[in-house]
Amino acid sequence: MDKVVIDDIELALSRPVEMPVSWVGQEELVTQLLAAWLVLGEDDLPLNPRLLGKPGVGKTTLAYHAGKLMNKPVYLFQATMDTRPEDLIITPVISEKGKIQYVASSIVTAMLEGGVAVIDEGNRMSEKSWASLAPLMDNRRYVESIVAGIKIKAHPDFRMCVTMNDDASTFDLPDYIYSRLQPGIVLDFPDRDDELLILKKNLPFADDEILEYVVEFLQAAHAANDRYSVRDGINIARYALKRISADSTLKHGKADLPPLDYLRESAGMILDPAASEYFNEMMEIEDEE
């Protein structure tokens, strides 16, 4: 574990994340995020964008992808309703020798290393926790640790963004925090072509027929304003493919049901009966034809 010393206090650093994901399509969103992080001169500061959208539309993937495009280490902090102010900055732990060791959060590590900090699902965190980050998100660019008694200044190359879901399980943030989390970049569901590319990227071993059925399901769900995302589609296809493979093994080489049957079953188990109904309708249309 790497360490740094600030004002005679030794800090153990966190490690950046390495995620097996890649961003597909909607390049305008990548451009918007990278533009927010630009610094145009000595007196300029990077912005701290918030990425908004339904669960599963790719907010974290977008932030990770943009950070990697800038050749920066990316540090992920998962916010929850139990996140405390000290969790965001420095946590004291008891070392093997019984001494107190100070561990820098992924956010503080990104500040020191000049990396990208992604605060995931930031609006699940309370105002009390957000207040500890307020000076980091304006022209002061520092945080203060009460437990370690030190002030930590952000590296000039430090960048951050926050992902936020728009569901009922989140907090309303106060205006003084929102004013520091600008601009808002909104992610919507991808169009048909991009959705198919995302599925192919994540499931390169899947037959085209399976992926086409899943895209059909997702596009119909988006048109009906249902909440199902491409992540749900990937999980449905992944489990259906596993069921087909398991059945083929048990039955010596060939599954005995059409792919739509497996997808219908998978949608009901991964999501709910309403999702499996979309595949029922596809089966009825094929029967009529």
Side-chain angles (χ1 to χ4, degrees):
M1 183 176 287
D2 294 335
K3 296 179 179 178
V4 298
V5 176
I6 299 175
D7 294 340
D8 297 328
I9 299 294
E10 185 178 77
L11 296 180
L13 302 181
S14 303
R15 295 186 185 280
V17 294
E18 293 295 334
M19 297 165 56
V21 297
S22 57
W23 181 256
V24 177
Q26 301 189 85
E27 289 300 321
E28 179 65 16
L29 294 172
V30 179
T31 305
Q32 290 175 359
L33 179 52
L34 292 176
W37 284 339
L38 278 177
V39 174
L40 302 179
E42 288 186 2
D43 296 328
D44 194 22
L45 292 171
L47 296 170
N48 309 302
R50 61 186 195 279
L51 309 183
L52 308 165
K54 292 181 170 58
V57 296
K59 300 181 291 298
T60 308
T61 300
L62 171 62
Y64 180 80
H65 174 75
K68 285 297 183 182
L69 282 180
M70 297 176 72
N71 292 317
K72 291 180 177 295
V74 179
Y75 297 82
L76 188 63
F77 184 93
Q78 180 63 52
T80 72
M81 63 184 300
D82 296 321
T83 297
R84 303 166 301 171
E86 58 265 37
D87 297 333
L88 294 161
I89 302 175
I90 291 173
T91 305
V93 299
I94 304 297
S95 68
E96 292 179 357
K97 297 179 180 178
K99 294 183 177 178
I100 292 178
Q101 181 182 36
Y102 294 104
V103 179
S105 72
S106 52
I107 299 168
V108 167
T109 303
M111 290 172 59
L112 293 168
E113 297 287 280
V116 172
V118 180
I119 303 178
D120 206 18
E121 302 186 11
N123 51 348
R124 298 196 191 286
M125 197 163 65
S126 69
E127 177 185 353
K128 183 179 179 182
S129 295
W130 272 112
S132 65
L133 294 181
L136 176 63
M137 298 185 293
D138 57 29
N139 58 3
R140 290 173 288 177
R141 301 265 290 171
Y142 67 74
V143 293
E144 290 184 279
S145 169
I146 302 300
V147 294
I150 56 175
K151 180 186 291 185
I152 303 162
K153 185 78 175 172
H155 189 286
D157 291 339
F158 169 69
R159 302 289 186 271
M160 69 172 283
C161 69
V162 180
T163 74
M164 293 185 174
N165 290 332
D166 59 354
D167 58 44
S169 62
T170 57
F171 287 102
D172 287 329
L173 299 186
D175 289 344
Y176 80 94
I177 293 297
Y178 265 117
S179 67
R180 289 168 165 83
L181 295 174
Q182 302 289 359
I185 298 175
V186 180
L187 283 73
D188 204 348
F189 292 121
D191 63 23
R192 183 186 185 86
D193 290 343
D194 282 347
E195 211 145 47
L196 184 58
L197 285 174
I198 294 169
L199 289 170
K200 286 183 174 179
K201 188 76 177 177
N202 284 273
L203 302 166
F205 44 83
D207 293 340
D208 287 346
E209 182 184 23
I210 294 277
L211 301 184
E212 290 285 353
Y213 282 135
V214 174
V215 169
E216 194 69 31
F217 153 70
L218 290 171
Q219 291 295 309
H222 302 336
N225 205 28
D226 278 334
R227 60 182 171 79
Y228 310 127
S229 68
V230 67
R231 181 166 63 198
D232 296 324
I234 291 169
N235 288 334
I236 289 171
R238 195 186 299 278
Y239 185 61
L241 289 164
K242 292 177 188 294
R243 286 280 288 117
I244 292 170
S245 178
D247 266 9
S248 298
T249 302
L250 288 173
K251 293 166 184 172
H252 308 292
K254 185 173 176 57
D256 56 2
L257 293 174
L260 269 176
D261 279 277
Y262 290 102
L263 288 167
R264 178 183 60 181
E265 176 196 70
S266 179
M269 296 174 71
I270 296 288
L271 297 173
D272 50 41
S276 65
E277 188 58 34
Y278 283 94
F279 292 99
N280 260 336
E281 292 174 6
M282 284 186 238
M283 294 172 70
E284 290 172 3
I285 292 171
E286 288 199 353
D287 288 342
E288 289 174 3
E289 292 174 347

